[in-house]
């Protein structure tokens, strides 16, 4: 199936690399994300993140201009670090590069080393740097790169170790992060979740404004990661890549289990099995009941959605998880698309389809919405599943859009959507079924009130 040739990107199905890094840094206790580049980058990303999470988000910047593109941004970076220290009292500053500083060739690790030498008499925070040029990646790659850099630059062997579990959940919602914490607690596992955005990007109302929100992964816990019993890392598309989990395995000998996002029945089963292996405990009764309720819901709702055709798009791991989840409930995915490239998505989805004896959907990596829309119009989907950037196409085709992932800008509560575990699968299943029912009801000439 071909599309009309074109050159430009039209409504990209991805976001910029340093934005993902900023989201990762926001999940660390006392951290302030810092963009080494122009002021516009920080302003854009700050506004974009705020409209999804509905929380105040500060992102510092070295605020480079035309002069610095010629002479280098080192002095501005150092001055910016001092400002963040003085105004925020940050315990960690996460420095992410941008297109500008990568293009002019600023050696950020060297500049940070000079900063430590020049201001070593001060009480310096931890400073972590990560290379995140937008011209060479997506927000997901920036997110994973930041998590890996934090682990590589902070993990230590010569401090007390927690002896529990390292959990790298990927770019998930604060609500899912809280749920994962509860699950690990039910297994009596001392767990270091990196990053932990459960409070930093979805906090309570406070009488006094906090410049750095409370919560996040403690820096002491990150330093103690080499002493964990095991690491669990979520991501369908992570195997074969250099990640935080593989670093701890290769450098410190911490066993690492790379699992798909625990979406749906099979994905959740794999996660709970892994927790049982690490903890030596059987599936807690409350989660066994959750699993049973999920299976019961699958049976109850099957008649409403069986045979429906779906287009899914967004972050590669969510897309792969959606294909498996929708296959479990009888929805046929006709197109699976992501803005990321070279993720192995086709191979992963192909394996899922082979295991479940399903027809393989159209799969596109490095896609934008121009390509997605051209393909989708020919495939005649019954619903779209993905983030808000697909709304105009759902509206044009008069099909429901089930919103998930990042960003969700045209609905309220995106930070509280759950996808993971049996409970997350239950919520997602209900949303899919109800989207189909609402469409049928709206299209009915009689507007029936009983289904």
């Amino acid at each position: 199936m071909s599309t009309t040739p074109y050159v430009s990107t039209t409504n990209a199905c991805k976001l910029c690399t340093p934005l993902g890094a900023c989201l990762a840094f926001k999940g660390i206790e006392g951290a302030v994300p810092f963009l080494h580049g122009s002021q516009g980058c920080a302003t854009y990303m700050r506004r974009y993140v705020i409209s999804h999470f509905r929380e105040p988000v500060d992102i510092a910047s070295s605020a480079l201009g035309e002069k610095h593109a010629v002479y280098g941004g080192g002095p501005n970076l150092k001055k910016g670090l001092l400002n963040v220290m003085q105004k925020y009292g940050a315990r960690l500053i996460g420095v992410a590069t941008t297109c500008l500083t990568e293009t002019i060739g600023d050696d950020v690790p060297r500049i940070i080393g000079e900063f430590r030498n020049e201001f070593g008499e001060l009480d310096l925070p931890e400073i972590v740097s990560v290379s995140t040029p937008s011209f060479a990646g997506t927000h997901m790659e920036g997110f994973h790169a930041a998590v890996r850099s934090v682990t590589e630059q902070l993990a230590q062997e010569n401090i007390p170790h927690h002896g529990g579990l390292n959990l790298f959940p990927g770019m998930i919602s604060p609500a899912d992060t809280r749920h994962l914490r509860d699950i690990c607690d039910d297994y009596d596992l001392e767990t270091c979740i990196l990053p932990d955005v459960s409070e930093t990007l979805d906090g309570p109302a406070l009488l006094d404004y906090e410049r750095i929100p409370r919560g996040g992964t403690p820096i002491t816990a990150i330093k103690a990661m080499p002493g964990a019993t095991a690491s669990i890392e979520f991501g369908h598309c992570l195997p074969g890549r250099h990640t935080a989990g593989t670093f701890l395995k290769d450098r410190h000998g911490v066993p690492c289990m790379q699992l798909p996002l625990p979406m749906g029945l099979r994905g959740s089963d794999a996660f709970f099995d892994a927790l049982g292996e690490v903890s030596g405990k059987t599936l807690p009764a409350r989660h066994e009941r959750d699993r049973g309720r999920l299976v019961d819901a699958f049976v109850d709702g099957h008649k409403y959605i069986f045979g429906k055709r779906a287009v899914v798009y967004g972050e590669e791991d969510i897309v792969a998880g959606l294909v498996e989840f929708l296959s479990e409930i009888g929805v046929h995915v006709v197109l699976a698309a992501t803005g990321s490239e070279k993720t192995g998505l086709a191979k992963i989805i192909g394996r899922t389809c082979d295991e479940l004896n399903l027809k393989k959907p159209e799969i596109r990596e490095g896609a934008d919405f121009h390509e997605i829309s051209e393909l989708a119009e020919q495939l005649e989907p019954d619903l779209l599943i993905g983030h808000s950037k697909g709304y105009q196409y759902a509206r044009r085709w008069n099909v429901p859009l089930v919103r998930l992932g990042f960003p969700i800008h045209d609905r309220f509560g995106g930070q509280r959507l759950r996808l993971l575990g049996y409970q997350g699968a239950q919520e997602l299943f209900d949303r899919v079924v109800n989207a189909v029912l609402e469409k049928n009801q709206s299209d009915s000439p009689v507007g029936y009130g009983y289904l």
Side-chain angles (χ1 to χ4, degrees), residues 238-296:
L238 288 182
R241 297 187 178 188
H242 180 47
T243 65
T246 60
F247 166 77
L248 290 173
K249 178 182 178 181
D250 297 339
R251 179 68 63 87
H252 301 287
V254 181
C256 179
M257 289 178 276
Q258 290 185 321
L259 303 176
L261 274 176
M263 295 174 61
L265 201 61
R266 296 206 315 166
S268 298
D269 284 347
F271 174 48
F272 281 98
D273 288 345
L275 290 178
E277 182 179 339
V278 175
S279 67
K281 298 181 180 295
T282 58
L283 181 66
R286 60 172 289 209
H287 299 294
E288 186 175 5
R289 290 192 295 270
D290 286 341
R291 189 184 192 279
R293 279 189 284 266
L294 178 62
V295 173
D296 182 65

Side-chain angles (χ1 to χ4, degrees), residues 109-300:
R110 177 187 61 79
I111 296 170
I112 292 175
E114 293 176 354
F115 178 83
R116 290 192 178 105
N117 291 333
E118 293 171 16
F119 301 98
E121 75 282 359
L122 302 178
D123 183 18
L124 297 181
E126 301 287 349
I127 305 174
V128 174
S129 64
V130 57
S131 174
T132 51
S134 283
F135 52 73
T138 68
H139 62 292
M140 286 301 296
E141 292 175 79
F143 182 94
H144 290 305
V147 174
R148 183 182 66 242
S149 294
V150 167
T151 305
E152 289 177 344
Q153 296 173 41
L154 295 187
Q156 301 177 6
E157 288 185 313
N158 58 347
I159 62 174
H161 296 148
H162 63 78
L165 173 69
N166 299 323
L167 179 58
F168 302 101
M171 195 173 135
I172 63 174
S173 73
D176 268 329
T177 308
R178 289 190 289 269
H179 186 42
L180 291 177
R181 172 72 66 187
D182 290 341
I183 292 173
C184 293
D185 287 346
D186 288 339
Y187 279 89
D188 295 324
L189 283 170
E190 183 181 354
T191 307
C192 175
I193 300 178
L194 179 66
D196 182 352
V197 297
S198 59
E199 300 295 328
T200 58
L201 289 176
D202 188 25
L206 301 172
L207 290 176
D208 297 314
Y209 174 70
E210 295 180 338
R211 291 192 174 186
I212 301 179
R214 66 189 68 180
T217 311
I219 294 174
T220 53
I222 300 172
K223 292 181 177 181
M225 279 182 158
T229 301
S231 298
I232 293 179
E233 196 166 38
F234 291 154
H236 291 76
C237 301
L238 288 182
R241 297 187 178 188
H242 180 47
T243 65
T246 60
F247 166 77
L248 290 173
K249 178 182 178 181
D250 297 339
R251 179 68 63 87
H252 301 287
V254 181
C256 179
M257 289 178 276
Q258 290 185 321
L259 303 176
L261 274 176
M263 295 174 61
L265 201 61
R266 296 206 315 166
S268 298
D269 284 347
F271 174 48
F272 281 98
D273 288 345
L275 290 178
E277 182 179 339
V278 175
S279 67
K281 298 181 180 295
T282 58
L283 181 66
R286 60 172 289 209
H287 299 294
E288 186 175 5
R289 290 192 295 270
D290 286 341
R291 189 184 192 279
R293 279 189 284 266
L294 178 62
V295 173
D296 182 65
F298 282 2
V299 175
D300 293 340

Side-chain angles (χ1 to χ4, degrees), residues 343-419:
T343 64
L345 185 64
K347 180 179 179 181
I348 295 161
I349 292 177
R351 183 169 62 243
T352 297
C353 293
D354 289 343
E355 292 172 353
L356 299 175
N357 195 27
L358 299 169
K359 181 181 178 181
K360 189 176 179 181
E362 291 286 332
I363 302 169
R364 293 293 186 273
E365 295 185 74
D368 64 7
F369 278 100
H370 178 90
E371 180 179 6
I372 293 171
S373 64
E374 283 199 339
L375 284 169
E377 285 181 344
Q378 302 173 50
L379 295 169
E380 299 180 344
D382 297 300
L383 71 160
L384 272 62
I385 305 181
H387 50 69
S388 291
K389 294 184 75 175
Y391 169 68
Q392 61 177 289
Y393 306 100
R395 178 184 173 91
R396 180 192 305 170
W397 304 326
N398 190 30
V399 297
L401 170 62
V402 178
R403 292 166 177 81
L404 50 77
F406 179 88
I408 297 177
H409 290 162
D410 63 340
R411 288 295 184 273
F412 188 75
Q415 73 275 38
R416 288 182 289 275
L417 293 178
R418 293 199 299 176
L419 303 177

Side-chain angles (χ1 to χ4, degrees), residues 6-20 23 44-45 48 99 133-142 171 313-316 319 337-343 364-370 372 387-390 393 406-407 409:
Y6 67 102
V7 176
S8 65
T9 295
T10 305
N11 194 9
C13 189
K14 62 180 180 179
L15 299 168
C16 66
T17 317
L19 187 151
L23 288 176
Y44 147 67
M45 292 178 204
Y48 215 83
C99 296
S134 283
F135 52 73
T138 68
H139 62 292
M140 286 301 296
E141 292 175 79
M171 195 173 135
Y313 60 88
E315 292 91 354
E316 58 270 24
V319 168
T338 181
S340 300
E341 298 183 79
K342 299 178 182 179
T343 64
R364 293 293 186 273
E365 295 185 74
D368 64 7
F369 278 100
H370 178 90
I372 293 171
H387 50 69
S388 291
K389 294 184 75 175
Y393 306 100
F406 179 88
H409 290 162

